[in-house]
Amino acid sequence: LEIYASESYDPDGTIANWGWYDGSTLYATGQSMQYDCMLMGFTKKMELRLTDDDGITTTKSFNIVTN
């Protein structure tokens, strides 16, 4: 599974850092991440933390669900 955040933007500057978190653990960095999951019926809560060029961080939580 590959997830993209390439359409994220900062209206008054640029995004300096993309951090993908599995709980409190940094899972990946960059505009996209790959997540390997072999289990069916699996739900995993993840967070994307964006930091802009002014040092302001925004967090978005989302779930990865397999059926």
Side-chain angles (χ1 to χ4, degrees):
L1 173 67
E2 190 152 354
I3 302 171
Y4 297 91
S6 56
E7 292 188 27
S8 302
Y9 66 94
D10 177 14
D12 68 351
T14 60
I15 296 176
N17 188 325
W18 289 258
W20 302 87
Y21 287 81
D22 179 354
S24 61
T25 304
L26 179 62
Y27 183 81
T29 59
Q31 291 185 8
S32 66
M33 74 150 197
Q34 291 186 350
Y35 194 88
D36 296 323
C37 178
M38 298 296 207
L39 301 174
M40 298 305 289
F42 175 84
T43 301
K44 183 68 174 173
K45 183 176 181 178
M46 301 288 290
E47 287 184 354
L48 171 60
R49 298 180 194 168
L50 301 174
T51 305
D52 71 7
D53 56 339
D54 295 319
I56 299 170
T57 300
T58 300
T59 302
K60 176 67 177 174
S61 297
F62 61 95
N63 290 323
I64 297 173
V65 179
T66 61
N67 294 317

